[in-house]
């Protein structure tokens, strides 16, 4: 044992030395890593970040589009994409699987909630599994899923089925100035696949209208979150987070007024239903500012579903120029009045006119004319030969050409919408020069006509049309840019503008005028009818009663126009004669102009003659006393509420009112709906304003029907819909009923005789 002891000591010493050396190396390595933070030349922090670091996207919202009053036109709303997880590694607990296990059941259940056949869903799942994909999606059918559908699918508790949150563009008004607003959608490649950005999110691009023109302003910038997470992406306890906030897109406020646009959409729908025209183009503008209050066309499309877009890709008011017809005579007349060469009482021979001995003969629309008539009557009757003489003999071609430029017909207006085209002025030969004077040969756009008409309505100052009121930072509410009226030309004086409006009023009021259908009760209208030829495929004008573009460009009230309305209806069906082309046009112009003036609280001119006194301040008075005093002064009173004291009134105190006009007073307590049968739209609007409810009207005249039953409790935000009918329509309906009843009685008598 003693002999072995030295060897054991030596062995122990060697082992001690080896372990001591290893410990020394480990200690050195430890301090080396602590000091340098590197292993094999690579930072440990970077390795940890690579293993545990995660990055998430904080999606930015596209800016909201509002109308001039802050009513919603377009916004992003939550949408979800359906995802199926196929990787088995995602399941840790077999009792709670996190991947798709039963492909058949999954396909069967999902087919009940998405627009895809069960077999197609199964094919996607099996293909993904065979190719060992981590997850699969279901194309268009699995995108833009609503919250309600998502909830129903989640309630199925299908293993491996999950959702990624996204957004889609929401257009609450449906077909509503669709070509002006445009639409936005995920951009596609030529092969039909969707374009992804660097951060992996889909790229949304504005198409058409404001969505396209202001795409950069509306598009936000995605943010991101960097954090430490586990294998499944969950944040680790005490993990570090770094957040870069998303920057939402800017909001765009339009000059469009939702209410006036609704008037226009309804009127166009009525004409489509009755006359089935090839096209309708209509605009409403404020002549003092150039703001477009409404813009519409038919055919149109739904910005969400795109239904109807294949029938009309273009904004016809902006992108299409055509021969305007006799609405062009407004500007030829204005030039002649400005140059003091228009004498309304001068006689000329109507019927036909030849510019030169060798040029073709120009005829009036009735071919033979009306014999010798005054130039004023020539304007009223829309005589082509009168305006040919004005351009050639009174103004001279060179001077007339100057006015075409002054009125802006040879360049785009610069409105904030994409793809605006310009007019095409045909002005080489004498015949082209005279036909331009009355709206043939030369082609211009509806928006150019609106711009030029502002000079007539705005005392000679021509203002640039625009559709955007302001751009606002979505996150801070700060106004980034605000549009202001821009006078682009002063082609005529205020005196000339007034004289032209006076003359154009006679087009509507004179028995000889072509604009008799455009008379409005209580409002003076100045305007000009138009009937434009349509070039055919052979280069010649189409023939036939329906083959024209019928139009009217009018403004009201005549002495101080608040609105300009342009309406064009192309090739309406069912006209018995050429002269009936004004009927479908008036079906749009009249209700839109009149309802809009009412809505804007523009008092009818008749109030000047029928004024009785100003309304006192009723606020604070006892309800019973206020009603009694109003009744004694000839006012019909409507009380909203069941309180004993007046807390509000319409019209407001100090307003000049008519005898017999309804005065709506508000008291404390709950508000209930009155019976509004027989009321004017103006009086209905008082109730909607006081009650804070949203009003939609159909037709014109007086109320015949309301959707809210009388005595029903009114709640702020409720929708009130009223149907109106004119006295003439009411009389016709009553006569039809009487006739039907008389015929029925006669049939019954005849049957008795036969029996």
């Amino acid at each position: 044992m003693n002999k072995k002891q030295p060897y054991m000591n030596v062995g122990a010493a060697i082992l001690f030395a080896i372990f001591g050396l290893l410990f020394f190396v480990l200690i050195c390595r430890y301090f080396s890593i602590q000091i340098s933070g590197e292993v094999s030349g690579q930072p440990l922090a970077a390795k940890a970040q690579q293993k545990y670091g995660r990055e998430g996207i904080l999606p930015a919202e596209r800016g909201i589009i509002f109308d001039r009053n802050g009513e919603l036109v377009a916004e992003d709303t939550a949408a979800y994409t359906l995802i199926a997880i196929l990787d088995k590694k995602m399941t840790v607990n077999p009792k709670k699987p996190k991947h798709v296990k039963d492909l058949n059941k999954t396909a069967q259940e999902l087919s009940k909630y998405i627009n895809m056949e069960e077999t197609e869903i199964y094919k996607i799942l099996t293909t993904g599994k065979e190719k060992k994909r981590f997850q699969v999606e279901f194309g268009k059918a699995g995108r833009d899923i609503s919250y309600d559908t998502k909830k129903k699918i989640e309630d199925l508790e299908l293993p491996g089925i999950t959702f990624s949150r996204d957004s889609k563009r929401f257009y609450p008004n449906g077909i509503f100035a669709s070509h002006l607003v445009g639409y936005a959608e995920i951009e596609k490649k030529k092969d039909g696949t969707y374009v992804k950005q660097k951060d992996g999110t889909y790229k949304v691009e504005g198409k058409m209208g404001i969505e396209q023109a202001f795409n950069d302003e509306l598009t936000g910038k995605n943010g991101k979150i960097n954090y430490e997470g586990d294998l499944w992406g969950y944040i680790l306890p005490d993990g570090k987070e770094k957040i870069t906030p998303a920057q939402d897109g800017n909001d765009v406020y339009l000059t469009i007024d939702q209410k006036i646009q609704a008037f226009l959409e309804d009127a166009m729908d009525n004409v489509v239903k009755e006359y089935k025209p090839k096209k309708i183009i209509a605009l409403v503008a404020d002549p003092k500012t150039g703001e477009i209050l409404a813009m519409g066309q038919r055919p149109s499309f739904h910005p969400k579903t795109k239904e109807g877009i294949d029938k009309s890709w273009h904004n016809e008011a902006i992108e299409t120029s055509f021969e305007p017809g006799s609405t062009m005579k407004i500007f030829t007349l204005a030039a002649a009045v400005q140059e003091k060469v228009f004498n309304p009482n001068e006689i000329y021979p109507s019927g036909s006119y030849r510019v030169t001995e060798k040029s073709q003969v120009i005829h009036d629309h009735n071919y033979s004319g009306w014999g010798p008539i005054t130039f004023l009557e020539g304007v009223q009757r829309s005589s082509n030969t009168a305006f040919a003489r004005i351009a050639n003999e009174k103004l001279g071609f060179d001077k007339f050409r100057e006015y075409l430029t002054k009125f802006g017909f040879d360049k785009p207006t610069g409105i904030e919408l994409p793809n605006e085209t310009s007019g095409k002025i045909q002005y080489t030969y004498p015949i082209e020069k005279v036909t331009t004077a009355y709206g043939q040969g030369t082609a211009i756009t509806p928006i150019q006509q609106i711009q030029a008409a502002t000079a007539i309505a705005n005392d000679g100052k021509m203002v640039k049309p625009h559709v955007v009121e302001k751009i606002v930072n979505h996150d801070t509410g700060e106004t980034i840019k605000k549009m202001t009226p821009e006078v682009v030309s002063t082609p005529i004086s205020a005196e000339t503008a007034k004289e032209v409006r006076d003359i154009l009023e006679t087009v509507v009021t004179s028995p000889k005028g072509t604009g008799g259908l455009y008379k409005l009760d209580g409002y003076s209208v100045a305007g000009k009818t138009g009937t434009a030829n349509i070039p055919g495929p052979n280069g010649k004008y189409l023939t036939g009663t329906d083959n024209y573009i019928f139009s009217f460009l009018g403004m009201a009230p005549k002495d101080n126009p608040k609105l300009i309305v342009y309406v064009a209806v192309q090739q309406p069906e069912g006209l018995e004669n050429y002269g009936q082309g004004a009927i479908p046009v008036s079906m749009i112009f009249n209700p839109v102009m009149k309802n809009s003036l009412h809505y804007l609280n523009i008092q009818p001119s008749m109030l000047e003659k029928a004024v009785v006194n100003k309304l006192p301040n009723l606020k604070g008075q006892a309800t019973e006393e206020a009603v009694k005093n109003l009744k004694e002064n000839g006012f019909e009173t409507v009380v909203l509420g069941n309180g004993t004291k007046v807390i509000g009134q319409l019209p407001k105190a100090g307003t000049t009112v008519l005898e017999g006009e309804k005065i709506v007073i508000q008291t404390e307590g709950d508000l209930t709906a009155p019976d509004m049968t027989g009321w004017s739209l103006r009086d209905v609007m008082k109730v909607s304003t006081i009650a804070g409810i949203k009003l939609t009207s159909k037709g014109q005249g007086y109320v015949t029907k309301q959707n809210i039953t009388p005595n029903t409790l009114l709640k702020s935000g409720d929708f009130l819909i009223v149907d109106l009918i004119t006295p003439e329509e009411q009389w016709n309906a009553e006569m039809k009923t009487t006739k039907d009843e008389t015929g029925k009685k006669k049939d019954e008598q005849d049957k008795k005789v036969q029996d």
Side-chain angles (χ1 to χ4, degrees):
M1 290 292 294
N2 291 336
K3 292 181 180 180
K4 291 181 179 179
Q5 187 68 35
Y7 295 105
M8 290 176 67
N9 292 339
V10 171
I14 293 171
L15 286 173
F16 178 80
I18 291 171
F19 282 110
L21 182 61
L22 288 173
F23 181 74
F24 178 75
V25 170
L26 287 172
I27 290 294
C28 290
R29 185 61 170 162
Y30 172 77
F31 283 106
S32 173
I33 292 171
Q34 280 287 93
I35 295 169
S36 67
E38 293 184 354
V39 176
S40 302
Q42 296 186 33
L44 274 179
K47 281 283 188 181
Q49 179 65 25
Q50 185 178 16
K51 184 172 183 180
Y52 299 108
R54 300 287 185 270
E55 181 175 288
I57 300 300
L58 300 176
E61 288 192 0
R62 190 173 177 85
I64 302 173
I65 301 176
F66 295 101
D67 85 334
R68 65 188 299 108
N69 299 314
E71 297 291 340
L72 182 64
V73 174
E75 70 171 346
D76 278 1
T77 186
Y80 300 89
T81 299
L82 179 64
I83 296 171
I85 305 295
L86 302 177
D87 195 337
K88 292 182 179 180
K89 293 178 182 177
M90 292 301 294
T91 297
V92 177
N93 182 356
K95 294 182 179 180
K96 294 182 179 179
K98 299 293 183 182
H99 72 286
V100 177
K101 293 188 70 177
D102 191 333
L103 304 187
N104 282 309
K105 181 183 177 183
T106 302
Q108 184 181 14
E109 293 296 329
L110 291 181
S111 66
K112 298 175 184 177
Y113 297 97
I114 67 173
N115 188 25
M116 183 178 283
E117 295 292 333
E118 179 184 338
T119 53
E120 186 63 25
I121 297 173
Y122 182 77
K123 183 179 178 182
I124 291 172
L125 293 172
T126 52
T127 302
K129 191 173 183 180
E130 289 168 1
K131 294 185 177 181
K132 297 183 179 179
R133 290 175 179 164
F134 178 79
Q135 67 183 48
V136 292
E137 296 180 13
F138 300 92
K140 185 178 180 181
R143 280 190 296 272
D144 290 345
I145 290 176
S146 68
Y147 176 80
D148 288 341
T149 303
K150 168 182 174 285
K151 192 74 173 62
K152 289 175 183 177
I153 294 175
E154 286 177 335
D155 289 344
L156 298 174
E157 298 183 351
L158 296 171
I161 296 301
T162 186
F163 297 86
S164 66
R165 191 181 186 279
D166 205 345
S167 64
K168 64 179 177 180
R169 208 61 169 160
F170 175 56
Y171 301 91
N173 301 303
I175 298 175
F176 178 89
S178 298
H179 288 80
L180 183 153
V181 176
Y183 65 95
E185 65 179 7
I186 300 173
E187 192 173 2
K188 289 182 180 179
K189 299 177 183 177
K190 290 182 179 179
D191 62 2
T193 59
Y194 291 97
V195 176
K196 282 192 175 183
Q197 302 179 101
K198 291 180 179 179
D199 60 11
T201 59
Y202 292 112
K203 182 181 180 183
V204 176
E205 194 78 15
K207 308 286 185 183
M208 195 183 292
I210 292 296
E211 293 277 26
Q212 178 183 338
F214 288 82
N215 187 66
D216 291 344
E217 289 83 355
L218 289 164
T219 301
K221 184 178 181 182
N222 290 339
K224 61 183 179 180
I225 175 171
N226 298 94
Y227 62 94
E228 294 175 353
D230 60 16
L231 176 64
W232 294 275
Y234 295 109
I235 298 175
L236 291 172
D238 301 322
K240 296 178 181 178
E241 291 181 14
K242 181 182 178 183
I243 297 174
T244 304
Q247 297 176 13
D248 293 329
N250 295 322
D251 297 334
V252 175
Y253 285 76
L254 305 179
T255 60
I256 293 295
D257 189 298
Q258 187 184 58
K259 189 68 180 176
I260 297 176
Q261 185 68 40
F263 291 152
L264 183 58
E265 300 287 352
D266 288 346
M268 289 191 296
D269 285 343
N270 290 337
V271 170
V272 169
K273 191 181 298 181
E274 188 164 345
Y275 288 95
K276 299 177 179 60
K278 292 281 178 62
K279 286 181 185 178
I280 299 176
I281 307 168
L283 299 100
V284 182
D286 181 338
K288 305 297 191 287
T289 63
E291 293 175 332
I292 302 300
L293 303 177
M295 179 186 291
Q297 67 185 64
R298 293 293 182 271
S300 189
F301 70 96
H302 196 298
K304 179 185 175 183
T305 64
K306 313 302 181 296
E307 183 181 354
I309 199 170
D310 57 320
K311 297 176 183 176
S312 180
W313 282 93
H314 304 290
N315 185 331
E316 301 286 350
I318 308 296
E319 301 177 48
T320 305
S321 61
F322 53 88
E323 297 179 23
S326 295
T327 54
M328 188 72 175
K329 293 172 182 174
I330 294 174
F331 312 107
T332 306
L333 172 64
V337 172
Q338 179 68 23
E339 293 298 319
K340 296 180 169 52
V341 296
F342 180 78
N343 179 357
N345 300 315
E346 182 183 346
I347 304 292
Y348 78 98
S350 65
S352 61
Y353 181 72
R354 194 188 293 271
V355 188
T356 65
E357 290 183 3
K358 295 183 178 180
S359 67
Q360 70 183 74
V361 178
I362 293 167
H363 292 279
D364 284 319
H365 58 79
N366 70 345
Y367 201 82
S368 60
W370 306 270
I373 59 174
T374 65
F375 273 96
L376 176 59
E377 186 176 338
V379 175
Q380 294 167 350
R381 293 188 181 278
S382 198
S383 168
N384 293 339
T385 59
F387 284 88
R389 289 177 185 276
I390 289 171
N392 185 25
E393 300 173 8
K394 306 295 183 182
L395 280 168
F397 291 145
D398 291 341
K399 180 61 67 175
F400 179 49
R401 182 63 183 82
E402 290 176 17
Y403 277 92
L404 293 177
T405 295
K406 288 180 180 180
F407 279 112
F409 291 125
D410 52 5
K411 63 180 180 181
T413 66
I415 192 170
E416 318 95 321
L417 289 170
N419 308 318
E420 183 185 7
T421 189
S422 179
K424 302 177 182 67
I425 298 176
Q426 302 293 336
Y427 213 79
T428 303
Y429 304 104
I431 190 66
E432 293 176 334
K433 297 173 183 179
V434 295
T435 57
T436 292
Y438 57 81
Q440 284 187 359
T442 284
I444 56 178
T445 63
I447 198 65
Q448 285 179 311
Q449 293 191 65
I450 287 286
Q451 176 179 263
T454 62
I456 311 299
N458 191 33
D459 292 335
K461 301 183 189 71
M462 188 171 80
V463 291
K464 178 181 176 179
H466 61 103
V467 293
V468 173
E469 184 184 72
K470 60 183 177 180
I471 300 173
V472 175
N473 184 295
H474 179 84
D475 298 321
T476 66
E478 177 190 357
T479 299
I480 298 169
K481 185 176 182 181
K482 187 170 179 63
M483 313 305 176
T484 54
E486 180 183 347
V487 177
V488 292
S489 177
T490 309
I492 55 175
S493 66
E495 294 74 22
T496 293
K498 182 182 183 306
E499 184 176 345
V500 171
R501 293 198 304 270
D502 289 341
I503 293 170
L504 293 177
E505 183 187 24
T506 69
V507 172
V508 177
T509 60
S510 171
K512 301 171 183 176
T514 57
L517 279 176
Y518 303 97
K519 290 178 184 176
L520 297 179
D521 292 338
Y523 296 102
S524 54
V525 176
K528 185 71 192 70
T529 54
T531 308
N533 295 99
I534 302 173
N538 59 358
K540 296 181 180 180
Y541 289 128
L542 298 177
T543 59
T545 303
D546 300 343
N547 285 324
Y548 295 92
I549 299 175
F550 301 99
S551 62
F552 187 74
L553 177 56
M555 56 198 71
K558 183 263 297 183
D559 290 330
N560 184 19
K562 301 297 183 183
L563 296 176
I564 297 173
V565 176
Y566 174 80
V567 179
V569 178
Q570 180 180 326
Q571 295 169 288
E573 296 179 4
L575 302 184
E576 294 180 6
N577 58 65
Y578 166 92
Q580 289 186 345
I583 297 175
V585 178
S586 68
M587 286 174 62
I588 298 172
F589 179 90
N590 292 12
V592 170
M593 178 64 89
K594 190 170 184 178
N595 289 340
S596 298
L597 290 172
H598 282 167
Y599 165 70
L600 296 172
N601 203 27
I602 308 302
Q603 301 292 335
S605 57
M606 66 177 69
L607 289 182
E608 297 174 7
K609 299 177 183 178
V611 164
V612 290
N613 53 26
K614 291 185 177 180
L615 192 67
N617 187 355
L618 305 171
K619 196 171 182 180
Q621 291 187 19
T623 305
E624 190 174 344
E625 180 186 350
V627 172
K628 181 181 176 183
N629 292 336
L630 289 170
K631 189 175 182 180
E632 288 175 354
N633 284 285
F635 298 119
E636 184 180 346
T637 308
V638 178
V639 179
L640 293 183
N642 52 15
T644 58
K645 188 176 288 186
V646 178
I647 61 173
Q649 68 182 81
L650 277 179
K652 294 180 180 178
T655 303
T656 303
V657 290
L658 289 171
E659 184 175 359
E661 182 177 357
K662 286 182 176 63
I663 310 300
V664 180
I665 60 176
Q666 180 185 6
T667 70
E668 310 105 329
D670 294 332
L671 308 184
T672 56
D675 184 354
M676 290 172 272
T677 304
W679 286 26
S680 68
L681 181 63
R682 179 183 175 81
D683 288 331
V684 175
M685 289 169 67
K686 296 171 189 174
V687 172
S688 68
T689 301
I690 283 180
I693 58 179
K694 298 178 180 180
L695 173 63
T696 299
S697 63
K698 298 177 182 178
Q700 55 182 318
Y702 300 92
V703 176
T704 59
K705 186 180 178 182
Q706 64 189 73
N707 70 315
I708 299 179
T709 306
N711 300 320
T712 300
L713 190 67
L714 294 175
K715 297 178 182 177
S716 180
D718 282 351
F719 282 87
L720 171 62
I721 303 171
V722 293
D723 292 345
L724 300 100
I725 192 169
T726 63
E728 182 181 359
E729 290 170 332
Q730 181 71 32
W731 184 83
N732 289 336
E734 290 172 356
M735 288 298 293
K736 184 179 184 301
T737 302
T738 302
K739 185 178 179 182
D740 291 343
E741 288 176 353
T742 302
K744 186 178 180 181
K745 288 178 181 178
K746 186 177 183 301
D747 290 341
E748 289 173 353
Q749 289 174 352
D750 291 342
K751 186 178 180 183
K752 286 180 180 178
V753 171
Q754 290 172 0
D755 292 339

